[in-house]
Amino acid sequence: MNNAASISSNFWEFREPTPQPNQDSDLLAKFNFVPGLKEILLLRQVHALEHATVWVLSETAQSNFSSAGSKSSTAIDDESLGGLSTEAGFYLYGQVNPAHLRRAVMTALNRLRAGEWDLALHPRCGTNLSVAIALTAAIFGTTVLLSPREPLEQLIGLGVATTTVSQLAPDLGTLAQKYLTTSIPFNLAVEDIYETYDFWGHPAYFVQVRWH
């Protein structure tokens, strides 16, 4: 598998310990008194499945494109697709054949469980943007406080801050996805997939899941 790995140095290689099928269920059993814990664990697993589904659909689109006469040796992220995760499932945005979506969801789930953990990471994830914004605010604030008050020095400091963020944010965002906002969906069962509208009235497919 070379798609998600092509946008990072396969951070999953350095994960210790290796994700285990019972890791989240054991955590829930030990700390079931913590309010909202199950919902957080569900959301992390759904988030991983959302990313993996987008990757699989992108692979399908790339395969169809290649079979039409254009070949590429690198994985292509289909930017017409997007997603939004909730603890009940995820919204999938974009023009998708329902049968292809259903197949992609199950393929993504099986591949994640089989060890293709890099599918859980995605470069267009909102986590990356959140990390970039937080990092920009922190570095810019520090630069303003420590730099001389002259406009030229402040401008140089801003440039340094921007360059630093552009270098650090992608990898830090990937790490945040890996350790904080996603988890391998060992406890998810797909209940239904149907057309609907999201919270803001945008058309989407909803992949409904449950904990099992």
Side-chain angles (χ1 to χ4, degrees):
M1 222 290 292
N2 61 2
N3 49 20
S6 68
I7 55 89
S8 70
S9 299
N10 200 348
F11 283 84
W12 290 104
E13 291 179 358
F14 304 100
R15 184 177 181 123
E16 293 291 345
T18 298
Q20 299 297 318
N22 60 343
Q23 60 184 21
D24 282 356
S25 54
D26 285 351
L27 185 64
L28 184 61
K30 291 178 181 178
F31 300 100
N32 60 358
F33 57 88
V34 177
L37 177 60
K38 184 176 181 179
E39 287 72 19
I40 293 172
L41 296 176
L42 261 170
L43 182 58
R44 294 178 71 223
Q45 293 194 22
V46 170
H47 198 188
L49 181 58
E50 174 211 318
H51 288 170
T53 300
V54 171
W55 276 123
V56 173
L57 287 170
S58 295
E59 286 179 355
T60 301
Q62 182 182 2
S63 176
N64 293 339
F65 185 67
S66 297
S67 64
S70 178
K71 296 183 178 180
S72 174
S73 60
T74 58
I76 298 175
D77 172 24
D78 187 348
E79 296 187 4
S80 70
L81 301 174
L84 176 66
S85 294
T86 75
E87 67 272 13
F90 67 89
Y91 294 94
L92 193 287
Y93 305 97
Q95 297 297 318
V96 181
N97 182 299
H100 292 170
L101 174 57
R102 184 173 296 275
R103 188 180 308 117
V105 170
M106 300 312 300
T107 298
L109 187 60
N110 291 332
R111 287 171 61 176
L112 283 168
R113 291 173 176 173
E116 294 188 54
W117 303 319
D118 53 315
L119 283 170
L121 311 177
H122 202 283
R124 291 189 287 112
C125 177
T127 301
N128 289 25
L129 178 60
S130 298
V131 168
I133 291 173
L135 192 60
T136 299
I139 293 179
F140 179 67
T142 302
T143 301
V144 169
L145 290 175
L146 298 180
S147 298
R149 296 299 178 183
E150 287 74 11
L152 179 58
E153 282 78 2
Q154 291 282 333
L155 186 60
I156 293 174
L158 177 59
V160 170
T162 302
T163 301
T164 302
V165 169
S166 67
Q167 294 294 320
L168 295 179
D171 283 349
L172 290 178
T174 299
L175 287 172
Q177 288 184 59
K178 173 187 167 185
Y179 289 109
L180 298 176
T181 65
T182 68
S183 180
I184 303 305
F186 292 117
N187 300 104
L188 293 189
V190 178
E191 287 276 273
D192 198 6
I193 300 174
Y194 53 88
E195 291 186 71
T196 186
Y197 294 89
D198 67 8
F199 311 109
W200 303 278
H202 301 137
Y205 288 94
F206 190 72
V207 179
Q208 183 181 351
V209 303
R210 62 175 173 83
W211 180 277
H212 81 98

